[in-house]
């Protein structure tokens, strides 16, 4: 029997708990729970994490600590990504969390986030060399990976929440906002030399899995560029409620389909790919594997 460990990813769309049994490089999920907080959009608009969102985060972490304890997890590792990295009051928020929950939160770099993602996607991706992409709520991480290592990586301000806040995107989205979104994404990706080497494309994270579930209820993990074109064309014209009904996604996920599809489509085009593989795993599984190997410090539950 493997070790039971827990990790919480305070991302830019959700705070996400994963409790799993780890052993021999494998991850068997026991609890997989998320709470949608939209921190990326809030920080993109206000540059800070307001008190009401701090309180929501504290409630979420207290609940997650109990869930991890119920599963008899040995330890819990909590990390935060772009939304907390970018917030002007991040230190104050982390101090308040420690005082309220008795838990420390580590703000990880974009490179560390890519490293966790790589460890996770290697669980179900068989490529020896590939481009890894993860579009979150606050940023997009892209990395050239070879032989289980990251050769180069870039963190780009192309998260779905960031784009929604910066460009004032709504559902439906008019033609002017569509063109502004496409132009901004194209200009930002033009700076990402990491995509110029090409290679198979593997995507992980909640935005990618949201696109996958919307387009492929059959579970096929290959998405083609024309499918993303279709999703952009469809979601641009629909209200959030109509997107929920047509693509069978949760209401808050519905708002991310349009900007997420635009970013991933242009990543595909920039890297010269017609398709991408969606991994079922990512940063949380990678963090748990690193915990099991003693590479990150965890708090006792």
């Amino acid at each position: 029997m493997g070790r039971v460990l827990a990790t919480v990813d305070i991302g830019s769309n959700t705070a996400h708990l994963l409790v799993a049994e780890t052993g021999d490089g494998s991850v068997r999920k026991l609890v997989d729970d998320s709470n949608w907080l939209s921190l990326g959009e809030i920080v993109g608009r206000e540059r800070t994490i307001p008190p009401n969102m701090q309180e929501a985060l504290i409630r979420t972490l207290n609940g997650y600590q109990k869930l991890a304890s119920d599963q008899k997890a040995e330890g819990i590792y909590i990390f935060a990504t772009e939304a907390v990295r970018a917030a002007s009051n991040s230190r104050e928020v982390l101090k308040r969390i420690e005082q309220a929950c008795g838990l420390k939160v580590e703000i990880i770099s974009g490179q560390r986030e890519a490293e966790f993602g790589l460890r996770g996607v290697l669980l179900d991706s068989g490529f020896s060399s590939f481009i890894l992409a993860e579009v979150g709520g606050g940023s997009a991480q892209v990395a050239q990976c070879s032989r289980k290592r990251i050769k180069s990586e870039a963190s780009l301000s192309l998260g779905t929440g960031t784009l929604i806040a910066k460009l004032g995107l709504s559902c439906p989205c008019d033609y002017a906002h569509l063109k502004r979104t496409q132009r901004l994404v194209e200009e930002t990706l033009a700076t990402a030399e990491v995509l110029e080497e090409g290679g198979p494309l593997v995507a992980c994270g909640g935005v990618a899995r949201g696109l996958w579930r919307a387009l492929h209820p059959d579970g096929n993990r290959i998405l083609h560029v024309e499918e993303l074109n279709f999703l952009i064309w469809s979601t641009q014209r629909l209200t959030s409620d109509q997107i929920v009904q047509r693509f069978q996604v949760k209401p808050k996920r519905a708002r991310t389909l349009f900007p997420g599809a635009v970013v991933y489509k242009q990543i595909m085009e920039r890297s010269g790919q017609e398709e991408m593989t969606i991994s079922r795993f990512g940063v949380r599984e990678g963090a748990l594997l690193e915990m099991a190997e003693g590479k990150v410090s965890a708090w006792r539950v």
Side-chain angles (χ1 to χ4, degrees):
M1 182 174 176
R3 300 170 63 195
V4 176
L5 301 170
T7 189
V8 178
D9 168 13
I10 302 176
S12 299
N13 282 329
T14 65
H16 200 127
L17 167 72
L18 176 62
V19 184
E21 182 181 329
T22 63
D24 299 322
S26 64
V27 175
R28 185 175 71 85
K29 296 181 182 182
L30 302 175
V31 177
D32 191 7
D33 187 79
S34 66
N35 184 19
W36 196 287
L37 298 175
S38 298
L39 288 180
E41 185 177 347
I42 292 167
V43 172
R45 186 173 58 246
E46 301 184 21
R47 306 300 179 193
T48 187
I49 300 175
N52 65 316
M53 293 311 302
Q54 295 177 36
E55 292 160 8
L57 185 54
I58 287 168
R59 288 194 300 272
T60 298
L61 292 177
N62 277 328
Y64 284 169
Q65 190 174 22
K66 183 180 186 305
L67 285 172
S69 177
D70 291 345
Q71 294 294 323
K72 297 181 170 50
E74 292 180 30
I76 187 167
Y77 170 61
I78 306 173
F79 63 95
T81 57
E82 178 62 20
V84 180
R85 283 197 295 260
S88 61
N89 64 337
S90 59
R91 289 185 181 181
E92 293 88 344
V93 172
L94 267 54
K95 183 176 181 181
R96 187 179 175 195
I97 288 171
E98 186 173 357
Q99 291 172 340
C101 307
L103 297 168
K104 278 194 174 179
V105 178
E106 180 180 4
I107 300 176
I108 63 172
S109 66
Q111 180 173 348
R112 193 71 174 120
E113 189 175 352
E115 290 169 354
F116 282 167
L118 176 59
R119 288 298 306 269
V121 302
L122 287 173
L123 291 169
D124 69 351
S125 300
F127 300 112
S128 59
S129 296
F130 59 96
I131 298 171
L132 174 62
E134 180 181 6
V135 178
S139 65
Q141 312 300 133
V142 290
Q144 272 283 349
C145 307
S146 179
R147 299 181 180 181
K148 301 182 181 181
R149 294 182 181 276
I150 291 176
K151 294 169 56 183
S152 59
E153 59 83 29
S155 181
L156 307 167
S157 297
L158 292 177
T160 55
T162 299
L163 292 173
I164 289 169
K166 186 172 185 177
L167 298 173
L169 301 181
S170 60
C171 300
C173 174
D174 62 37
Y175 183 74
H177 280 85
L178 167 65
K179 299 309 291 184
R180 285 192 205 115
T181 305
Q182 291 173 327
R183 184 166 55 251
L184 176 60
V185 173
E186 183 177 0
E187 290 172 353
T188 304
L189 289 176
T191 68
E193 295 180 2
V194 65
L195 295 172
E196 293 177 359
E197 295 183 40
L201 181 61
V202 178
C204 67
V207 173
R209 286 192 291 272
L211 299 175
W212 168 42
R213 294 185 182 114
L215 289 167
H216 285 188
D218 62 353
N220 187 313
R221 294 197 295 126
I222 306 295
L223 286 186
H224 294 267
V225 68
E226 288 304 325
E227 293 178 299
L228 294 183
N229 277 329
F230 164 73
L231 195 60
I232 293 167
W233 179 85
S234 298
T235 54
Q236 180 205 346
R237 291 159 171 76
L238 301 176
T239 66
S240 291
D241 288 344
Q242 288 170 327
I243 293 171
V244 168
Q245 292 298 317
R246 184 165 302 183
F247 294 101
Q248 296 299 296
V249 295
K250 295 178 180 179
K252 290 185 177 179
R253 176 62 65 194
R255 298 181 68 227
T256 72
L257 292 187
F258 169 72
V262 171
V263 177
Y264 273 116
K265 182 224 174 189
Q266 293 204 31
I267 288 174
M268 292 170 73
E269 291 182 345
R270 172 82 170 143
S271 59
Q273 303 302 304
E274 292 291 326
E275 63 183 36
M276 65 180 181
T277 301
I278 309 299
S279 175
R280 293 166 294 181
F281 306 107
V283 292
R284 290 176 292 280
E285 289 80 9
L288 284 179
L289 291 172
E290 299 252 313
M291 286 177 68
E293 295 169 4
K295 295 180 179 178
V296 297
S297 299
W299 282 62
R300 295 193 65 82
V301 177

